[in-house]
Amino acid sequence: MVMLTGTPVAPGLAVGPLVRLAGVTHAARIRASRGKERDALVAAIAAAREDLIALLARTGNADEEGIVAFQIALLEDEELTIPAYAAIDAGEAADAAWRAAMDLQIEDYRSSDSEYFRARAADLRDLYERVLGLLAGNGIEAIPPGAIVVADDLAPSRFLATDWSNGGLVLHRTGATSHVAILARARGVPMLVGVDAAQLEGHSQALLDAQNGLLILDPDPSTRQAFDRQRRTYASQQFADGRYLEAEARTGSGERVWVMINVAGPDDVEAVDPAHVDGIGLVRTEFLFHGRDRLPDEEEQYRVYRRLTEWAAGKPVTIRTLDAGGDKPIPGLTREQESNPFLGVRGVRLSLRHPQVLSVQLRALARAAVGANLKVMIPMVTLPEELERCRYLLTGAVRAVAAEGVPGTLPRLGMMVEVPAAALAVEEFAADFYSIGSNDLIQYLSAASRDEPDLISVALPGTGFLRVIRAVCEHGEREGREVSLCGDLASDPRHIPALLDCGLRTLSVAPAALAAVKATIAKC
């Protein structure tokens, strides 16, 4: 028996056969004429695009759609494919030309100063392998269901194409906010990162404890029995937590806590009973802008926002304006090859550089606010004048729709508190409410990228972070303005007591975490 340690990024327990994924190799093609080699690459790229479009149709939420759509956009980018065709014209075989072109691109991404681009190298590698496999006439080997999969990294499209029933995932080279980690949390797949894979040879069975960060290879009978008891306890705990879903969230002393949900797309609410939540604390509107050849118009946005407010039936719905940039690029809108996208033109910085795009969204929001408890939230606010410019544009949008005889109303306007400069001077911002974005705030306060697996132990909600949270809550209490937290931290029961101790009484969580969060609050 061997026991290895790693960092949990998606909770859960799994047991099954150990499957080690090695790098894929393809036999070299026998070069034909230049015309036939070009035709072969054209056909392989087209087939890869069709495969991804089919996978896109099977994705379950906006995060999954955004990942696949990004890969489709890469395949359609001539800057990616032209060098390969040029190499074929110079006499290379199609596979050699594709390898050379993609190796250069992948290395550019991997060697970037930006953590974002280094993390996105996995998407390029995914396309690299997919097209090479098609050129060689090889399919992608299916991962058996119920397996504990260990690899250096895993292509997002391969994750989405896998049946993870009762299985789990262990990766060496990835971080807690990589695409695959986000997908694993969304689908409830137990996952560890940072595990040393050198000791895997000769082992066939594994226990994955993504609660405590353990991978146990070929467990002895007593360890297996203890793990089975742990799984039964975990299942019982989940069942017990479910009893809290229908009740209001209250601490052990009876103090009310409002628990809302984060929504990445309108389909996210379909599996949630609105009676179980106090509203929607965050709607990520990026899903409307990803994977398409045109920006969404006012009517399309209005219908989606209205659908969410109707689902909430009078409970608050907080809709964040487009938060593009950072790890959420939108072709044609966000800047390409920024040296550091997380510190670049993103969020409100980008929106105010494209006021025509922001104004369309604000008009749709003003219309959707009629007869609804809708709030508008601005991301990545750093300066008070940014928020005031947004207020001016929102007021103008309300006036514009009214002048056209269309019903509209002025919703409350708040801000994300995720930039340290804003958090430390929150009294300077005339927001109607504040919502703390813990993911970016922790990253910026700790100077540790949330995409870097080696810094997971640094990018934690330590004393400095909690001190900032407490100060924002105290300001909100003095001014009578709501303060909530909508980042990943709110969905982690381990951190709920500290957040409540800072004064937070409104949390917005992942729908899958509702029961556990409510149960934890009741024990505080």
Side-chain angles (χ1 to χ4, degrees):
M1 183 175 75
V2 173
M3 187 176 295
L4 305 176
T5 60
T7 301
V9 296
L13 303 164
V15 56
L18 185 68
V19 174
R20 176 69 190 272
L21 296 183
V24 180
T25 58
H26 303 287
R29 283 173 60 88
I30 298 174
R31 185 170 61 86
S33 68
R34 294 176 183 177
K36 288 184 177 180
E37 292 301 302
R38 173 179 275 268
D39 289 344
L41 183 56
V42 168
I45 290 174
R49 182 176 179 276
E50 290 304 312
D51 288 346
L52 289 170
I53 289 172
L55 184 59
L56 183 63
R58 300 197 303 272
T59 54
N61 60 46
D63 285 332
E64 296 179 2
E65 291 172 3
I67 290 168
V68 180
F70 180 63
Q71 291 198 24
I72 293 172
L74 283 174
L75 272 183
E76 295 172 346
D77 186 351
E78 290 186 350
E79 289 188 12
L80 192 70
T81 56
I82 283 178
Y85 292 127
I88 290 173
D89 291 341
E92 290 281 5
D95 57 347
W98 180 251
R99 280 194 183 95
M102 291 298 289
D103 283 345
L104 182 62
Q105 292 281 351
I106 292 168
E107 183 56 33
D108 282 347
Y109 272 62
R110 283 180 176 167
S111 61
S112 171
D113 292 334
S114 163
E115 296 292 347
Y116 164 74
F117 283 108
R118 289 204 296 271
R120 298 295 81 77
D123 289 305
L124 286 168
R125 186 76 190 180
D126 194 349
L127 295 178
Y128 172 89
E129 296 291 354
R130 183 178 291 276
V131 173
L132 279 182
L134 289 164
L135 284 169
N138 301 331
I140 297 176
E141 181 183 358
I143 297 172
I148 307 299
V149 177
V150 180
D152 282 346
D153 204 350
L154 187 70
S157 67
R158 196 167 187 189
F159 179 96
L160 291 171
T162 298
D163 178 0
W164 291 102
S165 303
N166 302 314
L169 181 60
V170 179
L171 297 182
H172 179 59
R173 297 177 183 171
T174 193
T177 57
S178 68
H179 281 164
V180 173
I182 292 169
L183 295 172
R185 285 192 291 271
R187 293 200 172 189
V189 179
M191 178 176 168
L192 296 183
V193 299
V195 175
D196 181 4
Q199 302 182 57
L200 295 176
E201 294 301 325
H203 296 281
S204 59
Q205 295 290 317
L207 308 179
L208 176 58
D209 180 354
Q211 305 295 107
N212 300 299
L214 295 174
L215 176 66
I216 303 171
L217 307 176
D218 288 337
D220 58 31
S222 62
T223 301
R224 176 60 191 265
Q225 290 170 6
F227 187 81
D228 288 341
R229 289 194 297 271
Q230 184 183 0
R231 291 182 78 192
R232 289 194 293 270
T233 301
Y234 182 66
S236 297
Q237 185 62 56
Q238 289 182 308
F239 178 79
D241 290 348
R243 296 179 299 172
Y244 292 89
L245 269 177
E246 296 183 6
E248 292 181 343
R250 293 186 179 275
T251 65
S253 62
E255 189 172 4
R256 182 77 161 91
V257 178
W258 281 262
V259 181
M260 305 186 181
I261 56 171
N262 297 331
V263 171
D267 292 340
D268 286 1
V269 301
E270 295 302 323
V272 180
D273 185 339
H276 295 169
V277 302
D278 295 306
I280 299 176
L282 169 65
V283 177
R284 299 180 173 100
T285 58
E286 293 75 55
F287 72 92
L288 284 163
F289 293 78
H290 280 305
R292 51 191 303 158
D293 54 9
R294 63 173 182 81
L295 298 177
D297 61 23
E298 177 184 328
E299 189 63 28
E300 180 182 356
Q301 293 191 54
Y302 165 74
R303 288 196 300 269
V304 170
Y305 304 150
R306 194 66 188 175
R307 175 182 167 188
L308 292 171
T309 60
E310 289 172 353
W311 175 88
K315 294 178 180 178
V317 175
T318 302
I319 299 179
R320 185 176 67 188
T321 57
L322 177 62
D323 188 17
D327 58 348
K328 295 168 291 224
I330 296 176
L333 190 60
T334 51
R335 295 185 174 186
E336 296 182 3
Q337 299 293 327
E338 280 189 302
S339 60
N340 192 333
F342 277 113
L343 299 179
V345 181
R346 55 173 298 206
V348 70
R349 303 169 182 177
L350 181 70
S351 292
L352 290 176
R353 284 166 171 79
H354 298 275
Q356 71 283 3
V357 176
L358 177 59
S359 293
V360 169
Q361 186 168 33
L362 294 177
R363 283 174 58 97
L365 289 166
R367 292 172 56 193
V370 175
N373 191 353
L374 184 149
K375 301 189 288 185
V376 176
M377 183 161 64
I378 307 299
M380 201 64 183
V381 175
T382 307
L383 303 171
E385 48 264 38
E386 292 172 330
L387 186 63
E388 290 312 304
R389 285 186 64 191
C390 290
R391 191 180 296 280
Y392 175 81
L393 290 172
L394 179 58
T395 303
V398 174
R399 290 173 178 164
V401 297
E404 297 167 10
V406 178
T409 193
L410 185 65
R412 284 175 287 171
L413 182 70
M415 61 179 278
M416 292 282 290
V417 180
E418 52 192 340
V419 177
L424 294 170
V426 68
E427 70 280 355
E428 297 181 0
F429 294 82
D432 299 329
F433 62 92
Y434 306 97
S435 184
I436 296 164
S438 59
N439 298 354
D440 275 330
L441 186 56
I442 291 172
Q443 160 173 264
Y444 295 141
L445 284 171
S446 61
S449 171
R450 53 194 178 107
D451 274 337
E452 178 51 65
D454 289 342
L455 298 179
I456 289 176
S457 61
V458 177
L460 294 173
T463 302
F465 171 80
L466 295 175
R467 190 172 294 162
V468 171
I469 299 303
R470 187 183 298 277
V472 175
C473 290
E474 289 174 350
H475 171 72
E477 179 69 21
R478 287 193 302 269
E479 299 297 322
R481 299 174 188 171
E482 179 188 86
V483 178
S484 63
L485 189 145
C486 63
D488 284 346
L489 209 62
S491 300
D492 190 336
R494 296 174 299 175
H495 300 294
I496 299 298
L499 296 178
L500 296 179
D501 187 58
C502 287
L504 280 164
R505 292 299 179 268
T506 302
L507 303 173
S508 193
V509 308
L514 268 173
V517 168
K518 283 190 167 185
T520 302
I521 290 170
K523 299 167 188 173
C524 291

